[in-house]
Amino acid sequence: MTTNASVLAWIDQMKELTNPDTVVYIDGSEAQLEQLRQQAVKTGEMIKLNQEKLPGCYLHRTAVNDVARVEGRTFICARTKEEAGPTNNWMDPKEAYALLYGIAKGAYAGRTMYVIPYSMGPVGSEFSKIGVELTDSIYVVLNMAIMTRVGDAVWEVLGDSTDWVKGLHCKCDIDEEKRYICHFPEDNTIISVNSGYGGNVLLGKKCFALRIASFLGRNEGWMAEHMLILGLEKPNGEIKYIAAAFPSACGKTNLAMLIPPEKYRKLGYKVWCVGDDIAWMRIGEDGRLWAVNPENGFFGVAPGTNEKSNPNALHTTQKDTIFTNVVHNLDDNTVWWEGLDKNPPTNALNWKGEKWDPASGEKGAHPNSRFTAPAKNCPCISPEFENGKGVPISAIVFGGRRAKAAPLVYQSRDWKHGVFVGSVMASETTAAATGAVGVVRHDPMAMIPFCGYNMGDYFAHWLEMGEKLGDKAPKIFNVNWFRLDDEGNFMWPGFGDNMRVLNWILDRCEGKVDAVETPIGYVPHPADIDIDGLDVTEDTLKELLDVDKDVWTAEAADIEEFYKKFDRLPDEMKKQLATLKENLQK
Ligand code: OXD
Ligand code: MN
């Protein structure tokens, strides 16, 4: 419990509004969480899985109309529309409060209000931030207890401070027409109604750690980014850290937990995972950029996760994990998803809980089905994971799913050009958000759905951070693991072999290798990417590194069109686009 006056006053106000039968404070104890698990099993909210094979694991199914983030119903309720900018939905804060309080009125009647105090980042560390989420969902409580640090220790650290983020979640009737995920950056407040899907309701994640935090970061001089953080250990024991931004479901979790190819493992290379989704980055006392993962678990996409693609993630999910919308194997009370192995269960229920026949051709797991697993389960979790100071970043990597345009890897000429490279990121859409899948969309820094303020100002903030970092700024790169040949096959093996590209990136950071200057930036000499032992010919590698002027001329025209939507585009970005166009003419 807490005696914090600002917290208690808000809880009273929300109690008055939502009218719960009871209020339960989440203290973070295993005993309380276990009691909630049992309750959720009793009501059918969760299914307890085979405790011998999957100890501590549960299965949950969302409503069928509630399986992904809903960007169309996500709002930034800044004071003015301009503050929210052209890439966000905006609602006037007064109108939004009236609308949402109208929906939330009496929403907890006959239900329990759970009060979750949580810390983003290690509890009590200098750079961590505190939130309080109110919810009427045990599933949310149990997920928050995996994804963040929850409990009484958080109240102790908060003390009397008013510096915390309010979060109200009401399941209501899971009515799509009344579903709203609203952010009030000026009030440090989030309200989410009519959803039970993780990305919409685990308010510490996208809502706080990206949308609200990006706004705070701009005001306070730091960055909240949609990035994984990994450490690459060399045979001499030295570890270099990379932060990488990819749009949702483009393999951030796989890259963050990469297992180096055998040859590299034998030499002593190792990859350490600091985070798979979010990086909070600030300039340290030494002038370098330091990154912390504010989360405490992984909310990963299940389909495609297997022994080959990501053995570390698979291992991570073998205990104390909540699975959402996967297949339920009734024979042994375990779970399955497409791409786990080639043996789908025949006596099974699909993600909707219906009898499912794998031979039907229908998918059993939802394409955006998920696992929520504790970070500490991960075999390659970094020893620095709990270090509130973070890790120093040598390279920032952007990437997306591009069949043609982007080469396997290229380096920006400098930080400013790197900001341009991030701003023109585009990717084919995935199932992580509702809407068409496979359509190319622009997604600057993979932050389009997550930037809590005007994205033109966001680019300006990146440029300012670069000014402050000066020659200590990380080098900026772009990668594309998804290039296709004319027959539609992936040209690069991906997964563990991506380490070969990370090696080149770090060699560039250390000035160890030369590169070829192209209109879009520096591309490797083919000889500097190790393809030994791969099914990739030298010709294929050359093609992977090729920068096609015609394709890029079309790309530049597309960027110009995309840039038109920004009302506050920094001049520097226009200059960068002009330089690209000039380079392509040469
Ligand atoms: C996620 C997402 O869940 O980006 O991480 O959608
Ligand atoms: Mn994400």
Side-chain angles (χ1 to χ4, degrees), residues 205-206 210 226 246 248 252 277 450:
K205 194 174 177 62
K206 304 299 188 183
L210 288 176
H226 191 200
F246 296 79
S248 306
K252 283 210 302 295
D277 197 40
F450 308 121

Side-chain angles (χ1 to χ4, degrees), residues 223 282-284 287-290 396 415 462-474:
M223 307 163 93
R282 62 173 170 166
I283 300 173
R288 290 188 294 171
L289 192 64
W290 291 70
I396 288 176
W415 179 276
W462 264 82
L463 292 167
E464 267 164 39
M465 289 297 292
E467 293 284 317
K468 288 189 196 152
L469 284 157
D471 60 5
K472 301 224 169 89

Side-chain angles (χ1 to χ4, degrees), residues 269-305:
Y269 283 87
K270 190 161 175 28
V271 167
W272 297 101
C273 172
V274 182
D276 78 327
D277 197 40
I278 297 175
W280 283 1
M281 305 196 286
R282 62 173 170 166
I283 300 173
E285 278 162 17
D286 61 0
R288 290 188 294 171
L289 192 64
W290 291 70
V292 168
N293 170 14
E295 301 194 278
N296 201 27
F298 306 112
F299 183 62
V301 177
T305 305

Side-chain angles (χ1 to χ4, degrees), residues 18 68 71 80 184 204 226 286 339 389 420 426 431 545 550 572:
T18 58
E71 294 176 11
T80 63
F184 302 82
H226 191 200
D286 61 0
K389 253 184 74 173
F420 172 75
L545 297 173
D550 291 341
E572 181 59 39

Side-chain angles (χ1 to χ4, degrees), residues 66-175:
D66 189 29
V67 292
R69 287 184 291 98
V70 279
E71 294 176 11
R73 307 201 67 92
T74 299
F75 291 82
I76 300 297
C77 307
R79 227 161 295 161
T80 63
K81 185 168 168 45
E82 216 195 351
E83 281 303 308
T87 59
N88 282 313
N89 300 313
W90 175 78
M91 228 192 283
D92 174 77
K94 266 205 205 106
E95 279 170 30
Y97 278 124
L99 173 74
L100 297 166
Y101 285 169
I103 294 172
K105 193 164 174 51
Y108 287 0
R111 306 178 62 81
T112 300
M113 170 190 275
Y114 296 98
V115 180
I116 316 170
Y118 65 94
S119 173
M120 298 312 292
V123 181
S125 81
E126 196 193 327
F127 200 44
S128 297
K129 293 203 173 276
I130 287 174
V132 180
E133 175 163 356
L134 306 180
T135 180
D136 54 347
S137 156
I138 294 182
Y139 171 75
V140 168
V141 173
L142 296 173
N143 273 270
M144 284 294 283
I146 297 172
M147 293 306 296
T148 72
R149 284 102 168 156
V150 305
D152 286 344
V154 176
W155 293 134
E156 260 166 56
V157 169
L158 182 64
D160 293 333
S161 168
T162 53
D163 185 12
W164 54 280
V165 171
K166 302 178 179 86
L168 173 67
H169 165 242
C170 307
K171 275 203 309 201
C172 305
D173 306 315
I174 315 289
D175 178 348

